[in-house]
Amino acid sequence: MAAVAAIAGVGMMVCCSSSVAAMMMGDDTKKKEDDSDSDSDSDSDSDDDADADADDGSPDPYATFCDVAKTDWINSKMQNDGMPQTQGESLQKCKVPNSLKQRILPVTFCDVAKTDWINSKLQEDDMPQSQGESLQNCKVPNNLQSRIK
């Protein structure tokens, strides 16, 4: 008898959880309809492809253009961490517009010889890696970082 009661309790939890989730999703749909600039009554069951794409719930990472602050952040990550621009845009959920592309500086990665020179300065002169990179005008890439001791 206790097993039946336990199963019934679990069933109620699943049922109630599903109801709460459905109610929350219903509220979200209501907000989307209220925020809409359209005066037309759109049917959510419509077979119109434009409605299906717009309401699928997945964010479009390139729906907006980056502002100056986000563009500078992306450039900083590219310069300091070797992050690709596309990854920075994905993290910031925006695309760098043509008007701000001049803020994205090219990154020159060190070759083996420059990486080894930087390593020698670290070992012999206690020079920080960043100073060696600055003197060599390059950034040690991740695949050569193991050469720095």
Side-chain angles (χ1 to χ4, degrees):
M1 186 71 144
V4 171
I7 292 173
V10 170
M12 281 183 58
M13 286 179 59
V14 169
C15 176
C16 292
S17 298
S18 298
S19 297
V20 169
M23 188 170 66
M24 290 175 66
M25 288 174 49
D27 287 344
D28 188 41
T29 303
K30 177 114 174 93
K31 287 178 189 173
K32 286 182 183 177
E33 290 173 4
D34 291 344
D35 292 340
S36 170
D37 290 336
S38 172
D39 290 338
S40 67
D41 292 333
S42 65
D43 183 8
S44 62
D45 295 330
S46 172
D47 290 337
D48 185 13
D49 286 339
D51 286 343
D53 292 339
D55 294 334
D56 70 353
S58 62
D60 182 4
Y62 301 113
T64 61
F65 287 117
C66 301
D67 59 15
V68 171
K70 289 181 178 182
T71 300
D72 289 347
W73 182 88
I74 292 168
N75 182 57
S76 170
K77 289 297 189 179
M78 290 171 62
Q79 301 301 316
N80 298 329
D81 301 337
M83 179 184 290
Q85 180 178 338
T86 54
Q87 184 180 0
E89 289 173 334
S90 177
L91 290 171
Q92 290 294 331
K93 295 180 175 54
C94 62
K95 177 81 173 149
V96 175
N98 289 334
S99 62
L100 296 179
K101 287 206 186 269
Q102 75 276 6
R103 299 183 81 89
I104 302 290
L105 304 174
V107 179
T108 304
F109 290 106
C110 303
D111 58 16
V112 172
K114 289 182 178 184
T115 300
D116 288 346
W117 182 89
I118 293 168
N119 183 56
S120 71
K121 292 298 180 184
L122 267 75
Q123 302 303 313
E124 298 167 7
D125 301 337
D126 290 323
M127 180 185 293
Q129 180 176 338
S130 58
Q131 184 179 358
E133 290 173 334
S134 178
L135 291 170
Q136 290 293 326
N137 295 320
C138 63
K139 172 89 175 137
V140 175
N142 290 337
N143 65 333
L144 294 180
Q145 194 66 47
S146 62
R147 299 180 77 91
I148 303 290
K149 298 176 179 115

